[in-house]
Amino acid sequence: MAYTAGVLTLSDKGALGEREDTAGPLIKEALQKEGFDVVAYRILPDDYEEILVVLVDWVDRKGIDLIVTTGGTGLAPRDVTPEATKAAIEREVPGIAEAIRMEGMRHTPYAMLTRGIAGVRKQSLIINLPGSPKAVEESLEVILPVLNHALEKLKGSPKECARN
Ligand SMILES: Nc1ncnc2c1ncn2[C@@H]1O[C@H](COP(=O)(O)OP(=O)(O)OP(=O)(O)O)[C@@H](O)[C@H]1O
Ligand SMILES: Nc1nc2c(c(=O)[nH]1)N[C@H]1C(S)=C(S)[C@@H](COP(=O)(O)O)O[C@H]1N2
């Protein structure tokens, strides 16, 4: 059974139509290739309240299994995606965010500047990716292989974790 996914792009320029969002569609395509049913996609400005409302709605009302955000994880004053995500989740999954930074560091030292987090709300997983398409590609490479297993565990599947 395919898990559902939502893609949320956080970008002031994107929300104003001043720059085409190529990061969001990139995530959408990668998730579809991984077997996810992408049922939601939106671009929002870097607004804490707006981001929190959508994250909660996509989990609590739409029951979306996986939400991947892109953008707004940096140090700029308006970068608030991690803070909104923190307010939306019940338990953090630090290993996913750490893996994203570790992989990023293989490409650029700037990768240490993404404050993105990952966590669970009810039976859904929310993951923050940085905003640039290059960062998205590099981050997806490392997290795609674990997403379906993570959701199986989150939803109480008795399946053993693979003993690699
Ligand atoms: N959704 C996106 N689609 C395409 N390119 C993006 C996207 N988000 C970011 N980028 C690219 O990555 C760079 C760094 O991302 P950053 O979040 O700092 O964007 P920004 O343009 O400064 O702010 P905002 O996207 O909120 O307007 C941007 O300058 C842009 O080139
Ligand atoms: N893998 C990877 N991670 C990356 C980058 C990158 O190029 N590759 N860019 C970094 C930079 S320059 C910034 S400012 C932070 C935060 O980006 P955001 O504000 O677009 O979320 O992501 C970082 N993470």
Short mmCIF file of all heavy atoms in Angstrom, two decimals, residues 70-75 79 100 103-105 107-108 110-115 129-132 134-135 138-139, ligand 2:
data_model
loop_
_atom_site.label_atom_id
_atom_site.label_comp_id
_atom_site.label_asym_id
_atom_site.label_seq_id
_atom_site.Cartn_x
_atom_site.Cartn_y
_atom_site.Cartn_z
N THR A 70 10.82 22.16 2.20
CA THR A 70 12.09 22.63 1.66
C THR A 70 12.17 24.14 1.82
O THR A 70 11.22 24.87 1.52
CB THR A 70 12.25 22.24 0.16
OG1 THR A 70 13.44 22.87 -0.36
CG2 THR A 70 11.07 22.62 -0.69
N GLY A 71 13.31 24.60 2.36
CA GLY A 71 13.52 26.03 2.51
C GLY A 71 13.24 26.54 3.91
O GLY A 71 12.57 25.89 4.70
N GLY A 72 13.79 27.76 4.15
CA GLY A 72 13.53 28.43 5.42
C GLY A 72 14.20 27.80 6.62
O GLY A 72 13.74 27.96 7.75
N THR A 73 15.28 27.04 6.38
CA THR A 73 15.94 26.37 7.52
C THR A 73 17.25 27.05 7.92
O THR A 73 17.94 26.58 8.80
CB THR A 73 16.28 24.90 7.17
OG1 THR A 73 17.38 24.87 6.23
CG2 THR A 73 15.10 24.15 6.62
N GLY A 74 17.55 28.17 7.25
CA GLY A 74 18.84 28.82 7.48
C GLY A 74 18.83 29.81 8.62
O GLY A 74 17.96 29.75 9.51
N LEU A 75 19.80 30.73 8.59
CA LEU A 75 19.96 31.70 9.69
C LEU A 75 19.32 33.05 9.39
O LEU A 75 19.31 33.93 10.25
CB LEU A 75 21.45 31.88 9.96
CG LEU A 75 22.10 30.63 10.57
CD1 LEU A 75 23.16 30.09 9.64
CD2 LEU A 75 22.70 30.92 11.91
N ASP A 79 13.88 32.89 8.42
CA ASP A 79 13.90 31.42 8.30
C ASP A 79 13.33 30.80 9.58
O ASP A 79 14.00 30.77 10.61
CB ASP A 79 15.34 30.93 8.07
CG ASP A 79 15.82 31.23 6.64
OD1 ASP A 79 14.96 31.41 5.76
OD2 ASP A 79 17.05 31.27 6.44
N ILE A 100 21.12 14.31 7.18
CA ILE A 100 21.04 15.33 6.12
C ILE A 100 22.25 16.27 6.23
O ILE A 100 22.90 16.59 5.23
CB ILE A 100 19.71 16.10 6.23
CG1 ILE A 100 18.56 15.20 5.78
CG2 ILE A 100 19.76 17.41 5.44
CD1 ILE A 100 17.18 15.76 6.08
N GLU A 103 25.57 14.31 5.29
CA GLU A 103 25.70 14.14 3.83
C GLU A 103 26.02 15.48 3.20
O GLU A 103 26.88 15.61 2.32
CB GLU A 103 24.41 13.56 3.25
CG GLU A 103 24.34 13.51 1.73
CD GLU A 103 25.47 12.68 1.11
OE1 GLU A 103 25.99 11.77 1.81
OE2 GLU A 103 25.84 12.96 -0.05
N GLY A 104 25.35 16.54 3.68
CA GLY A 104 25.57 17.88 3.12
C GLY A 104 27.02 18.32 3.26
O GLY A 104 27.60 18.91 2.35
N MET A 105 27.61 17.95 4.42
CA MET A 105 28.99 18.36 4.68
C MET A 105 29.97 17.74 3.70
O MET A 105 31.05 18.25 3.47
CB MET A 105 29.39 17.98 6.11
CG MET A 105 28.70 18.80 7.20
SD MET A 105 29.09 20.55 7.08
CE MET A 105 30.79 20.52 7.64
N HIS A 107 29.53 17.78 0.68
CA HIS A 107 29.46 18.62 -0.53
C HIS A 107 29.87 20.06 -0.25
O HIS A 107 30.49 20.70 -1.08
CB HIS A 107 28.03 18.60 -1.09
CG HIS A 107 27.54 17.23 -1.38
ND1 HIS A 107 27.77 16.58 -2.58
CD2 HIS A 107 26.84 16.34 -0.63
CE1 HIS A 107 27.21 15.38 -2.54
NE2 HIS A 107 26.66 15.20 -1.37
N THR A 108 29.46 20.58 0.90
CA THR A 108 29.76 21.98 1.20
C THR A 108 29.76 22.20 2.71
O THR A 108 28.88 21.69 3.39
CB THR A 108 28.72 22.93 0.56
OG1 THR A 108 28.87 24.24 1.14
CG2 THR A 108 27.28 22.46 0.84
N TYR A 110 28.88 24.74 4.08
CA TYR A 110 27.67 25.54 4.39
C TYR A 110 26.53 24.65 4.87
O TYR A 110 25.56 25.12 5.44
CB TYR A 110 27.23 26.34 3.17
CG TYR A 110 28.22 27.40 2.72
CD1 TYR A 110 28.37 27.72 1.38
CD2 TYR A 110 29.03 28.04 3.65
CE1 TYR A 110 29.28 28.68 0.98
CE2 TYR A 110 29.94 29.01 3.27
CZ TYR A 110 30.07 29.31 1.92
OH TYR A 110 30.98 30.26 1.53
N ALA A 111 26.64 23.34 4.61
CA ALA A 111 25.56 22.43 5.01
C ALA A 111 25.35 22.45 6.52
O ALA A 111 24.27 22.14 7.01
CB ALA A 111 25.88 21.02 4.55
N MET A 112 26.37 22.89 7.27
CA MET A 112 26.20 22.93 8.73
C MET A 112 25.24 24.04 9.13
O MET A 112 24.81 24.13 10.27
CB MET A 112 27.56 23.11 9.42
CG MET A 112 28.23 24.43 9.19
SD MET A 112 29.78 24.59 10.11
CE MET A 112 30.93 23.72 9.04
N LEU A 113 24.89 24.90 8.15
CA LEU A 113 24.03 26.04 8.47
C LEU A 113 22.55 25.75 8.32
O LEU A 113 21.71 26.62 8.59
CB LEU A 113 24.40 27.24 7.56
CG LEU A 113 25.85 27.71 7.66
CD1 LEU A 113 26.08 28.89 6.75
CD2 LEU A 113 26.18 28.06 9.12
N THR A 114 22.19 24.52 7.93
CA THR A 114 20.76 24.24 7.89
C THR A 114 20.30 23.78 9.26
O THR A 114 20.88 22.88 9.85
CB THR A 114 20.38 23.18 6.83
OG1 THR A 114 18.96 22.92 6.93
CG2 THR A 114 21.11 21.87 7.00
N ARG A 115 19.30 24.46 9.80
CA ARG A 115 18.81 24.15 11.15
C ARG A 115 17.64 23.17 11.10
O ARG A 115 16.91 23.00 12.06
CB ARG A 115 18.38 25.45 11.84
CG ARG A 115 19.51 26.46 12.00
CD ARG A 115 19.06 27.74 12.69
NE ARG A 115 17.92 28.37 12.02
CZ ARG A 115 16.69 28.36 12.49
NH1 ARG A 115 16.41 27.74 13.63
NH2 ARG A 115 15.71 28.92 11.81
N LEU A 129 13.98 19.90 4.70
CA LEU A 129 15.15 19.94 3.82
C LEU A 129 15.51 21.40 3.59
O LEU A 129 14.65 22.29 3.66
CB LEU A 129 14.83 19.27 2.48
CG LEU A 129 14.42 17.80 2.47
CD1 LEU A 129 14.32 17.31 1.03
CD2 LEU A 129 15.37 16.95 3.28
N PRO A 130 16.79 21.67 3.25
CA PRO A 130 17.15 23.05 2.88
C PRO A 130 16.44 23.44 1.58
O PRO A 130 15.80 22.59 0.93
CB PRO A 130 18.67 22.98 2.67
CG PRO A 130 19.10 21.69 3.31
CD PRO A 130 17.94 20.77 3.24
N GLY A 131 16.59 24.72 1.20
CA GLY A 131 15.79 25.20 0.08
C GLY A 131 16.37 25.00 -1.30
O GLY A 131 15.64 24.86 -2.27
N SER A 132 17.67 25.00 -1.42
CA SER A 132 18.22 24.95 -2.80
C SER A 132 18.01 23.57 -3.41
O SER A 132 18.13 22.56 -2.72
CB SER A 132 19.70 25.31 -2.78
OG SER A 132 20.47 24.17 -2.43
N LYS A 134 19.91 21.90 -5.23
CA LYS A 134 21.14 21.10 -5.07
C LYS A 134 21.12 20.44 -3.68
O LYS A 134 21.35 19.24 -3.53
CB LYS A 134 22.35 22.02 -5.23
CG LYS A 134 23.69 21.40 -4.88
CD LYS A 134 24.81 22.42 -5.13
CE LYS A 134 26.13 21.97 -4.51
NZ LYS A 134 26.06 21.89 -3.03
N ALA A 135 20.76 21.24 -2.67
CA ALA A 135 20.70 20.70 -1.30
C ALA A 135 19.62 19.63 -1.21
O ALA A 135 19.80 18.61 -0.54
CB ALA A 135 20.41 21.83 -0.32
N GLU A 138 20.90 16.38 -2.75
CA GLU A 138 21.91 15.75 -1.90
C GLU A 138 21.26 15.14 -0.65
O GLU A 138 21.62 14.07 -0.20
CB GLU A 138 22.98 16.78 -1.53
CG GLU A 138 23.83 17.18 -2.73
CD GLU A 138 24.55 18.52 -2.56
OE1 GLU A 138 24.40 19.13 -1.47
OE2 GLU A 138 25.24 18.94 -3.51
N SER A 139 20.25 15.82 -0.12
CA SER A 139 19.59 15.32 1.10
C SER A 139 18.70 14.12 0.81
O SER A 139 18.69 13.14 1.56
CB SER A 139 18.74 16.45 1.72
OG SER A 139 19.53 17.61 1.93
N1 LIG B 2 23.43 19.28 1.00
C1 LIG B 2 23.42 20.63 1.09
N2 LIG B 2 22.94 21.19 2.21
C2 LIG B 2 22.91 22.54 2.31
C3 LIG B 2 23.32 23.37 1.26
C4 LIG B 2 23.82 22.73 0.08
O1 LIG B 2 24.21 23.38 -0.89
N3 LIG B 2 23.85 21.37 0.04
N4 LIG B 2 23.19 24.74 1.41
C5 LIG B 2 23.39 25.25 2.76
C6 LIG B 2 23.07 26.68 2.88
S1 LIG B 2 24.01 27.77 1.91
C7 LIG B 2 22.11 27.17 3.72
S2 LIG B 2 21.87 28.86 3.90
C8 LIG B 2 21.28 26.24 4.53
C9 LIG B 2 19.84 26.68 4.77
O2 LIG B 2 19.16 26.80 3.52
P1 LIG B 2 17.60 27.25 3.48
O3 LIG B 2 17.52 28.54 4.26
O4 LIG B 2 17.33 27.40 2.01
O5 LIG B 2 16.79 26.20 4.12
O6 LIG B 2 21.25 24.97 3.87
C10 LIG B 2 22.56 24.47 3.77
N5 LIG B 2 22.46 23.07 3.47
#
